[in-house]
Structures are given as C-alpha cells and as structure tokens.
C-alpha cells in the first residue's frame, strides 16, 4: 500500500507540475532560456544531495519550511514532517517531485514544440478558449509522449530507494516503507535473504509489465531499444 501511494502520488504530481511548466515555457516571455535552465537544476542534482537538503528543510528545529509556515501563521510550532506517520509520505513525495519534474517538463515541452501550430491557430479562429484547446488539441496531440513519460516515471518511482531510505529509512512506524526499502531491510538488516530475493523477483515481475508497455509505446513512435 505504501508503494502504491508513493508511486501514484509522486507520478501524479510530477505529471501535473511538469505539464503545467511545459505549457508556461512554451510561451514567449523575457528570460525564458534562463528560467528553463534553472528548472533543470533539480534533475542534475544527485539524489543523495536532494535527500539531505530536504531533510534539513523539514527539520522541526531549524528547517526553512517550518519557519515559513510559522511566520505565515499557519503553524504555532515546528512540525516533525519526517517523524510523523501522517506527514512523512507526503514530505518524501514532495522531494521526489522536486527531483524529477524537470524530466516531465522537458519531454512535454519537446512535444509541444513539435506540434502543428495550424491546429491551435484554427481553434483560436473558431473561438475555442484555452482549456478547450488544451483538452481537444494539445492533450490528444501529446498522448504518445505522455504515455512514454508516464511509464518511465512509474518505473523510476517504483525503483526509487536512495531518496526514501536517506530521508526516513522506511519510517516512522513503517509509514514510508516502500518495497525497495523493504528489500534492503530484509537482506541487510534482518539477514532474511530468501524473503528479500522473493520480494525482489516479485518487483521484477511487476516492472516487466510496465517495461513491456514502454517498449510497445516506443516502437509505435518509430523508436528503437
């Protein structure tokens, strides 16, 4: 269940944020190149560095997130984001969002820039509002790209270990104990190598399903493995 929440929550937020920023960067405004380069910083930052930075930011004593919430009157005292079972998963998902949304943004932006502008121009001439053009023109045209992005982000989130283990170790009270962390704890902390191997095989079988659909989507676009 933790793995399901981790994957679904993380992938959903990454798609929403990455897609929205790609739409923004597809417009013309001053300094667009600098903004685009700045958004790539999380993607090139090592995962272990991201985990450590967010652990500091979530600190109940000196973390900047608590300081901002207290200054804004939303909290009376510091909240242990990573030490509370009710908030730990959300906190780690947000860190994964910051780390991986640039990939979604760049892929969607590439798809947007490769679209036929005549479709949008025709919709504008017909008086279609922005959300109507988004629903009936933009998203259908981006479906092949979105399928590949969705499958890749699911695979990466499912296999993510460093971020979760560094920030919470699977805790507190097992609230962030996803399958990748569970395998590590079984093998190297509890020395239950048989159980760890069995769980690893189960994870591989689950991933093979997504890999199959990814390869099929890639071949439909004329790509090669």
């Amino acid at each position: 269940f933790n793995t399901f929440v981790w994957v679904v929550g993380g992938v959903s937020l990454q798609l929403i944020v990455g897609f929205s920023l790609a739409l923004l960067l597809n417009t013309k405004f001053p300094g667009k190149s600098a903004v685009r380069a700045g958004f790539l910083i999380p993607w090139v930052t090592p995962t272990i560095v991201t985990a450590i930075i967010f652990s500091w930011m979530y600190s109940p004593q000196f973390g900047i997130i608590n300081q901002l919430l207290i200054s804004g009157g939303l909290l009376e005292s510091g909240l242990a984001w990573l030490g509370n079972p009710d908030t730990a998963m959300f906190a780690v998902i947000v860190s994964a969002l910051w780390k991986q949304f640039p990939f979604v943004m760049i892929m969607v932006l590439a798809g947007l820039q490769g679209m036929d502008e005549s479709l949008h121009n025709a919709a504008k001439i017909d008086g279609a509002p922005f959300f109507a053009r988004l629903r009936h023109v933009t998203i259908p045209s981006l479906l092949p790209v979105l399928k590949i992005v969705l499958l890749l982000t699911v695979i990466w989130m499912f296999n993510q270990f460093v971020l979760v283990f560094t920030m919470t170790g699977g805790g507190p009270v097992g609230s962030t104990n996803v399958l990748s962390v569970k395998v590590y704890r079984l093998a190297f902390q509890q020395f239950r190598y048989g159980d760890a191997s069995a769980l690893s095989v189960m994870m591989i079988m689950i991933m093979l399903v997504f890999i199959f659909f990814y390869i099929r989507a890639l071949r439909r676009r004329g790509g090669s493995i």
Side-chain angles (χ1 to χ4, degrees):
F1 177 77
N2 287 340
T3 305
F4 176 81
V5 174
W6 164 251
V7 173
V8 174
V11 171
S12 300
L13 288 177
Q14 289 169 36
L15 289 176
I16 293 172
V17 173
F19 188 88
S20 302
L21 291 176
L23 292 176
L24 174 64
L25 292 177
N26 197 43
T27 61
K28 296 181 180 179
F29 59 89
K32 182 172 71 173
S33 298
V35 173
R36 184 184 303 177
F39 279 139
L40 289 178
I41 293 176
W43 180 247
V44 300
T45 303
T47 305
I48 186 66
V49 175
T50 300
I52 294 173
I53 290 174
F54 271 87
S55 296
W56 290 344
M57 293 173 62
Y58 285 129
S59 171
Q61 289 81 24
F62 54 83
I64 188 173
I65 294 178
N66 278 328
Q67 295 299 324
L68 291 174
L69 293 176
I70 292 173
S71 299
L74 299 177
L75 287 179
E76 296 182 357
S77 59
L79 179 63
W81 294 91
L82 299 178
N84 188 333
D86 296 328
T87 58
M89 179 63 79
F90 173 76
V92 181
I93 286 177
V94 170
S95 65
L97 166 66
W98 185 87
K99 169 64 180 171
Q100 296 186 191
F101 84 85
F103 169 77
V104 179
M105 180 191 72
I106 291 298
M107 292 290 289
V108 174
L109 181 60
L112 289 171
Q113 294 180 346
M115 287 178 55
D116 187 359
E117 287 296 326
S118 62
L119 297 175
H120 279 281
N121 293 334
K124 289 180 181 179
I125 293 174
D126 291 339
F130 171 78
F131 287 105
R133 297 197 305 270
L134 181 66
R135 178 182 177 184
H136 298 289
V137 179
T138 304
I139 293 180
S141 300
L142 290 175
L143 275 181
V145 175
L146 291 175
K147 287 179 181 178
I148 293 176
V149 171
L150 173 63
L151 291 170
L152 282 176
T153 50
V154 167
I155 292 171
W156 291 339
M157 284 294 289
F158 187 82
N159 291 323
Q160 179 61 253
F161 168 79
V162 175
L163 199 63
V164 181
F165 187 78
T166 304
M167 294 183 67
T168 65
V173 201
S175 58
T176 61
N177 192 25
V178 296
L179 287 176
S180 58
V181 175
K182 181 69 173 179
V183 169
Y184 176 87
R185 297 179 69 177
L186 284 173
F188 301 108
Q189 292 182 349
Q190 302 176 23
F191 305 107
R192 295 163 57 186
Y193 298 112
D195 293 339
S197 299
L199 189 56
S200 298
V201 171
M202 187 188 75
M203 291 179 63
I204 291 173
M205 299 303 294
I206 294 174
M207 280 297 93
L208 284 176
V209 176
F210 291 98
I211 292 171
F212 167 78
F213 285 109
Y214 168 72
I215 294 175
R216 190 173 70 170
L218 194 63
R219 285 179 174 172
R220 286 183 176 178
R221 288 182 53 83
S224 58
I225 305 302

